[in-house]
């Protein structure tokens, strides 16, 4: 842990701006006309050479979206979004889909290197396969061959639509149906790319799979769609990371992630979300409206969500688990940090349907500056979920006097044998703690990072090791300027 | 080493220190004794730069430099260490992480290379052994769930690692039973050195049976009202502070 503070300091010294991923790549793009209508939906589907059923699926979603109300039950405050004032498709121009990394535009490879995500296989992080999504399309996937040897499919969803149409057709929208909510519905109509993972029966995926999302083009929304299927007795650990350039206008990101775990399968899904949060006055930043849901369809299956949310002007996201299979387990570990004018309304839903299903929620929220943060969580025990158990621990930490933390738990239990526990705390970083650290020679900013990392430790420990260090650094950087 | 001249300080606008003069040389141990509310802890916080403790008059020179102009972390890096009366808990942060962060911050200030975790553990184990303390202290979160004795021992361990030029012990004996007191005193004595000065703040004489001071000062109503040798502590034990509080008023 200490090493990370060391690095965090060096990072700070090396960069004048707090958000170090704010650069723009100068690359020629192919863009759909501005605005949204049926022709745009057709344009996207045609660009991707999709089968007829998928185009129909998209159009149906689009028509439904037109009449759906926006979710306004949150504590989030933002102006009406003008959906016609954005581009829905932007892809770096290249002759054909590159077959190997040698054919990928060097400018793109350099962009990912700058982000700390080298894509050339000899340079990549050992044991991590990466799918790199740039604006609307996937530009490269590493280690594909090696994974194929075990029957694992890891590719962009556009590719999977061509190569594994049956799997896609069977599972797409089966966990998050298009009509689930307005943002998911929009995604269903215009999703452009994302990752697809299939782990065959009994296979334990030998490396971390990860997708790195990058928004580059201005005024462009990113709508990626991720689908992960863990067949019986399989295991996979998957991680996503995200960044975007600094721009004065808000950009929309509305993703959908669906996970399916069959009998005895386990999926561990981790997110380090660092979209551009806007500047210190609240100008610009990403609107992050994401629907993530996992279905534990099989007996003894397990889905575990871990998220570190430090970016975005607004975060609206509730990674959830539907615990259908008997003895299935759902977990949600979350660290959310909001500084300056950032807003977050985040939490989870644990829907207990099967018998002896268990869920665990640990949420750590940190607010600084003028930020407002809400934990919103639902635990539902259905009548058949005999022996279900839930434990929720929800802690908020406040830095300064102008921020807010809110906890909104919803508990619905319809089975007498269920045990549901909810614990919540709110605390402030104390002057005593800061002075104690400073008296030992630790600067005020490092002291804040130290105390906050301690506060989040239970959650950060859940991250794959390769990313835990990154996440700890991010915690320190996100809170820069929050004291003194 | 330390020269305090006519130091006045206020807390919440209320004058607490009203002209403290004190000179402490390298290699010496001085004790500051006094009744509750006499300004002992205020003096410790003013010397270490805690927010809310305002200096209204006077100056403090530490190795010839203006101590009051430095931030708390600069003072620490320059070699001023405070063993807290109430050590603070930091949940989730392992003691090792905290100690290594602190040590490396101080080393950086002194242009020494930072220690990696392996090097640090080696050093920490050596110090623990010298202080007859247990490894377990390192693994637990900073002061969380520590007994009173463990907290104070942890302060002494930090002092041993940071090797300060000036150590200020604020009521280190409070809340300790006699066995814990002996361990802590032994630790402090082991750190006595010709290049180090120590200021022991205490209400009771009993700590001074184990840490024998070169000089004893009595602080009452924000001033040093009397100074003497170690026998002054014994006299106080017999007569109490009443004479001095009367004298100062």
């Amino acid at each position: 842990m200490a090493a990370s503070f060391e690095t965090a300091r060096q990072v700070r010294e090396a960069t004048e701006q707090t958000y170090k991923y704010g650069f723009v790549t100068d690359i020629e793009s192919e863009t759909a006309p501005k605005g949204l209508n049926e022709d745009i939906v057709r344009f996207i589907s045609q660009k991707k050479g999709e089968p007829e059923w998928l185009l129909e699926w998209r159009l149906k979603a689009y028509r439904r979206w037109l009449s759906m109300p926006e979710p306004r039950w949150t504590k989030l405050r933002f102006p009406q979004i003008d959906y016609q004032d954005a581009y829905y498709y932007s892809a770096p121009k290249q002759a054909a889909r590159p077959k190997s990394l040698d054919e990928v535009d060097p400018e793109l490879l350099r962009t990912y290197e700058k982000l700390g995500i080298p894509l050339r296989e000899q340079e990549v992080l050992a044991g991590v396969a990466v799918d790199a999504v740039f604006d609307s399309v996937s530009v490269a996937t590493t280690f594909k061959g090696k994974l194929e040897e075990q029957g694992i499919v890891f590719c962009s969803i556009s590719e999977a639509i061509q190569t594994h149409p049956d799997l896609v057709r069977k599972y797409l929208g089966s966990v998050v149906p298009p009509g689930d909510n307005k943002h998911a519905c929009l995604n269903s109509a215009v999703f452009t790319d994302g990752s697809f993972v299939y782990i065959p029966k009994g296979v334990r995926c030998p490396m971390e799979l990860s997708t790195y999302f990058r928004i580059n083009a201005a005024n462009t929304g990113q709508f990626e769609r991720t689908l992960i299927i863990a067949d019986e007795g399989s295991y996979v650990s998957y991680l996503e990371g995200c960044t975007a350039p600094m721009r004065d206008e808000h950009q929309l990101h509305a993703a959908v992630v669906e996970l399916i775990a069959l009998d005895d399968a386990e999926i561990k899904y981790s997110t380090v979300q660092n979209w551009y949060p806007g500047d210190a006055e609240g100008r610009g930043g990403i609107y992050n409206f994401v629907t993530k849901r996992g279905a534990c369809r099989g007996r003894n299956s397990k889905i575990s969500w871990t998220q570190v949310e430090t970016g975005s002007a607004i975060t609206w996201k509730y990674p959830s688990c539907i615990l259908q299979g008997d003895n299935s387990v759902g977990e949600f570990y979350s660290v959310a940090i909001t500084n300056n004018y950032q807003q977050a309304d985040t939490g989870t839903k644990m829907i207990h349907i099967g018998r002896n299903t268990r869920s665990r929620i640990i949420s750590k929220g940190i607010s600084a500056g003028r930020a407002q943060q809400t934990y919103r969580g639902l635990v539902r025990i259905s009548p058949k979920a005999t022996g279900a158990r839930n434990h929720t621990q929800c802690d908020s930490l406040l830095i300064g006097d102008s921020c807010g933390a809110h906890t909104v738990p919803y508990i619905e239990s319809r089975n007498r044998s269920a045990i549901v526990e909810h614990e919540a705390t709110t605390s402030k970083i104390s002057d005593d703690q800061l002075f104690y650290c400073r008296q030992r020679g630790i600067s005020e900013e490092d002291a804040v990072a130290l105390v906050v990392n301690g506060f989040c430790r239970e959650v950060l420990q859940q991250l794959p090791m390769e990313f835990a260090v990154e996440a700890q650094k991010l915690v320190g950087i996100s809170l820069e300027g929050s004291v003194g | 080493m330390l020269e305090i001249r006519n130091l006045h300080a206020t807390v919440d606008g209320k004058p607490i220190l009203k002209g403290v003069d004190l000179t402490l040389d390298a290699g010496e141990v001085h004790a500051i004794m006094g009744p509750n509310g006499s300004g002992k802890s205020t003096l410790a916080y003013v010397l270490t730069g805690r927010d809310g403790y305002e200096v209204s008059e006077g100056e403090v020179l530490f190795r010839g430099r203006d101590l009051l102009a430095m931030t708390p972390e600069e003072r620490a890096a320059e070699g001023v260490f405070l063993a807290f009366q109430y050590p603070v808990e930091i949940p989730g942060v392992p003691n090792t992480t905290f100690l290594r962060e602190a040590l490396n911050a101080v080393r950086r200030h002194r242009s020494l290379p930072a220690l990696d975790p392996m090097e640090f553990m080696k050093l920490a184990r050596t110090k623990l052994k010298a202080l007859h303390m247990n490894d377990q202290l390192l693994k637990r979160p900073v002061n969380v769930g520590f007994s009173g004795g463990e907290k104070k021992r942890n302060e002494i361990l930090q002092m041993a690692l940071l090797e300060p030029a000036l150590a200020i012990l604020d009521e280190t004996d409070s809340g300790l039973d006699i066995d814990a007191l002996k361990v802590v005193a032994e630790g402090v004595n082991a750190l006595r050195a010709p290049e180090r000065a120590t200021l022991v703040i205490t209400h009771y004489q009993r700590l001074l049976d184990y840490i024998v001071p070169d000089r004893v000062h009595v602080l009452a109503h924000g001033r040093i009202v009397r100074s003497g040798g170690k026998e002054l502590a014994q006299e106080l034990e017999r007569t109490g502070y009443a004479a001095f509080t009367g004298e100062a008023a």
Side-chain angles (χ1 to χ4, degrees):
Chain A
M1 202 154 133
S4 67
F5 298 115
E6 195 65 25
T7 331
R9 188 173 308 104
Q10 287 159 0
V11 167
R12 255 202 315 269
E13 283 164 2
T15 53
E16 281 186 21
Q17 285 168 320
T18 308
Y19 190 75
K20 65 169 182 159
Y21 307 105
F23 63 90
V24 179
T25 305
D26 188 12
I27 195 158
E28 223 186 317
S29 292
E30 182 176 17
T31 307
K34 206 176 202 176
L36 183 57
N37 52 50
E38 287 203 6
D39 289 342
I40 295 290
V41 176
R42 285 176 202 282
F43 174 92
I44 293 169
S45 189
Q46 189 202 358
K47 269 285 152 206
K48 303 199 161 283
E50 287 175 355
E52 193 57 29
W53 69 265
L54 192 50
L55 174 61
E56 282 309 314
W57 194 81
R58 285 177 180 276
L59 288 170
K60 216 172 130 192
Y62 171 72
R63 289 170 199 139
R64 182 147 187 199
W65 174 79
L66 287 172
S67 62
M68 276 183 95
E70 269 184 46
R72 284 280 170 176
W73 37 261
T74 63
K75 278 190 91 73
L76 306 171
R77 295 288 166 264
F78 57 95
Q80 189 69 36
I81 297 167
D82 181 359
Y83 290 97
Q84 299 305 334
D85 190 34
Y87 295 95
Y88 289 81
Y89 182 85
S90 173
K93 247 184 197 165
Q94 39 195 12
R97 193 181 156 76
K99 287 188 184 59
S100 77
L101 281 169
D102 299 335
E103 294 175 24
V104 174
D105 188 324
E107 192 58 39
L108 282 177
L109 293 180
R110 271 197 292 279
T111 298
Y112 281 91
E113 263 164 43
K114 260 166 100 173
L115 295 170
I117 318 284
L119 295 175
R120 289 189 183 85
E121 299 215 356
Q122 62 271 30
E123 300 159 6
V124 300
L125 281 168
V128 183
V130 179
D131 182 22
V133 176
F134 190 86
D135 288 333
S136 301
V137 295
S138 164
V139 292
T141 310
T142 63
F143 285 118
K144 250 164 104 170
K146 193 167 173 214
L147 293 166
E148 270 165 20
E149 286 168 20
Q150 300 203 40
I152 295 168
V153 184
F154 177 44
C155 62
S156 72
I157 197 150
S158 311
E159 195 180 335
I161 289 163
Q162 307 298 335
T163 56
H164 298 82
D166 296 346
L167 279 173
V168 174
R169 195 168 183 175
K170 182 170 176 192
Y171 289 108
L172 187 73
S174 74
V175 188
V176 180
D180 189 81
N181 65 74
K182 186 155 184 121
H183 305 307
C185 198
L186 177 62
N187 175 287
S188 303
V190 301
F191 76 88
T192 44
D193 223 332
S195 296
F196 175 84
V197 175
Y198 172 75
I199 314 290
K201 277 183 193 173
V203 171
R204 197 180 163 85
C205 186
M207 55 179 75
E208 302 282 340
L209 303 184
S210 109
T211 302
Y212 197 89
F213 295 103
R214 173 75 179 168
I215 295 179
N216 187 62
N219 274 324
T220 303
Q222 191 171 41
F223 305 94
E224 84 271 357
R225 185 118 196 160
T226 295
L227 179 57
I228 298 177
I229 303 145
D231 212 327
E232 292 170 19
S234 67
Y235 168 85
V236 62
S237 170
Y238 177 92
L239 184 125
E240 62 168 18
C242 356
T243 59
M246 295 160 68
R247 297 187 188 281
D248 284 342
E249 71 275 13
H250 295 288
Q251 277 177 285
L252 180 61
H253 170 255
V256 172
V257 175
E258 297 177 279
L259 312 182
I260 296 112
L262 302 182
D263 285 356
D264 303 302
E266 179 176 349
I267 302 173
K268 188 174 162 60
Y269 192 106
S270 314
T271 304
V272 176
Q273 186 264 109
N274 188 23
W275 295 119
Y276 177 52
D279 67 13
E281 273 74 51
R283 271 189 302 265
I286 302 289
Y287 286 167
N288 191 37
F289 299 144
V290 173
T291 308
K292 289 181 167 175
R293 196 172 300 153
C296 282
R297 297 244 164 102
R299 278 177 291 115
N300 310 318
S301 57
K302 179 175 175 183
I303 289 179
S304 181
W305 299 99
T306 304
Q307 61 173 19
V308 177
E309 303 281 320
T310 61
S312 298
I314 295 180
T315 296
W316 177 95
K317 133 174 208 204
Y318 315 90
S320 306
C321 296
I322 301 172
L323 303 170
Q324 284 169 285
D326 290 349
N327 310 319
S328 59
V329 177
E331 292 175 337
F332 175 72
Y333 300 101
S334 171
V335 169
I337 300 179
T338 44
N339 195 0
N340 299 320
Y341 284 88
Q342 282 178 277
Q343 305 177 65
D345 196 301
T346 184
T348 184
K349 291 189 260 187
M350 293 291 174
I351 313 292
H352 292 255
I353 298 170
R355 280 178 298 166
N356 300 318
T357 45
R358 280 164 293 151
S359 63
R360 184 168 191 225
I361 298 169
I362 298 183
S363 164
K364 305 276 181 177
I366 299 110
S367 284
R370 299 179 166 276
Q372 290 292 328
Q373 193 176 121
T374 303
Y375 166 82
R376 192 181 298 279
L378 167 70
V379 176
R380 177 181 290 156
I381 314 283
S382 45
K384 286 178 184 167
T386 302
R389 283 211 62 156
N390 161 266
H391 180 82
T392 301
Q393 167 89 41
C394 190
D395 299 321
S396 306
L397 186 69
L398 303 174
I399 302 173
D401 299 324
S402 312
C403 56
H406 318 274
T407 301
V408 190
Y410 305 80
I411 297 170
E412 303 171 9
S413 181
R414 296 196 185 159
N415 187 305
R416 282 166 162 266
S417 68
I419 301 173
V420 179
E421 299 163 328
H422 180 93
E423 286 177 46
T425 66
T426 302
S427 52
K428 288 184 77 165
I429 290 193
S430 71
D431 292 343
D432 284 348
Q433 286 173 327
L434 291 182
F435 179 65
Y436 191 62
C437 293
R438 293 178 77 188
Q439 209 303 303
R440 296 301 184 249
I442 300 168
S443 73
E444 195 162 19
E445 287 207 328
D446 288 341
V448 170
L450 188 78
V451 173
V452 173
N453 264 296
F455 175 75
C456 307
R457 191 171 149 86
E458 269 176 289
V459 172
L460 296 179
Q461 278 175 331
Q462 299 292 331
L463 287 173
M465 211 179 45
E466 291 86 342
F467 301 101
V469 176
E470 278 301 311
Q472 283 167 4
K473 274 194 256 174
L474 205 51
V475 167
I477 292 168
S478 308
L479 288 169
E480 263 175 34
S482 62
V483 287
Chain B
M1 174 79 71
L2 181 72
E3 268 191 82
I4 303 174
R5 292 182 195 150
N6 190 31
L7 185 64
H8 289 68
T10 60
V11 179
D12 291 333
K14 197 179 151 204
I16 306 288
L17 299 183
K18 300 167 188 165
V20 173
D21 290 282
L22 181 73
T23 302
L24 183 57
D25 289 326
E28 290 183 344
V29 175
H30 288 206
I32 295 196
M33 301 184 69
N36 289 329
S38 59
K40 301 192 300 290
S41 286
T42 297
L43 179 61
Y45 286 142
V46 168
L47 292 177
T48 48
R50 182 160 196 165
D51 283 346
Y53 292 78
E54 302 296 331
V55 174
S56 48
E57 212 184 319
E59 62 176 352
V60 178
L61 296 178
F62 175 62
R63 295 159 134 181
R65 294 183 55 197
D66 180 3
L67 186 69
L68 302 177
M70 301 179 205
T71 63
E73 52 268 37
E74 281 166 355
R75 298 181 202 201
E78 286 288 324
V80 177
F81 179 90
L82 172 63
F84 283 64
Q85 181 176 5
Y86 303 109
V88 181
E89 298 184 0
I90 310 180
V93 178
N95 215 8
T96 36
T97 304
F98 178 72
L99 295 179
R100 193 161 69 89
E101 273 293 302
L103 180 61
N104 281 339
V106 170
R107 285 178 66 91
R108 230 180 349 266
H109 184 84
R110 296 174 190 168
S111 303
L112 295 168
L115 296 185
D116 68 33
M118 301 286 278
E119 293 167 327
F120 173 79
M121 277 310 285
K122 216 173 137 186
L123 177 69
R125 287 219 174 87
T126 320
K127 301 283 183 187
L128 276 168
K129 216 172 159 192
L131 296 168
H132 306 290
M133 292 180 194
N134 191 315
D135 269 24
Q136 286 303 317
L137 211 58
L138 291 174
K139 292 173 190 156
R140 292 157 59 186
V142 182
N143 294 323
V144 177
F146 284 29
S147 69
E150 283 173 329
K151 283 184 180 173
K152 296 297 168 79
R153 262 181 274 177
N154 194 25
E155 295 292 292
I156 303 304
L157 171 64
Q158 295 182 39
M159 181 173 147
L161 277 164
L162 296 173
E163 301 183 319
L166 170 65
I168 304 165
L169 309 180
D170 186 10
E171 305 273 2
T172 293
D173 49 335
S174 69
L176 293 189
D177 60 32
I178 197 73
D179 294 324
L181 184 71
K182 278 185 191 165
V183 173
V184 167
E186 218 174 277
V188 174
N189 287 329
L191 293 167
R192 283 181 104 140
E195 67 278 7
R196 180 167 297 134
T198 307
L199 197 56
V200 181
I201 294 173
T202 183
H203 183 79
Y204 298 106
Q205 184 262 341
R206 75 172 181 168
L207 177 67
L208 304 181
D209 287 342
Y210 301 98
I211 304 171
V212 180
D214 299 300
R215 299 281 293 164
V216 174
H217 309 277
V218 180
L219 187 68
H221 295 297
R223 274 200 188 129
I224 288 176
V225 291
R226 200 171 147 194
S227 299
K230 59 175 183 270
E231 63 289 345
L232 178 56
Q234 279 139 21
E235 186 191 322
L236 281 169
E237 187 72 4
R238 281 195 310 276
T239 61
Y241 290 111
F244 298 103
T245 48
E247 195 179 302

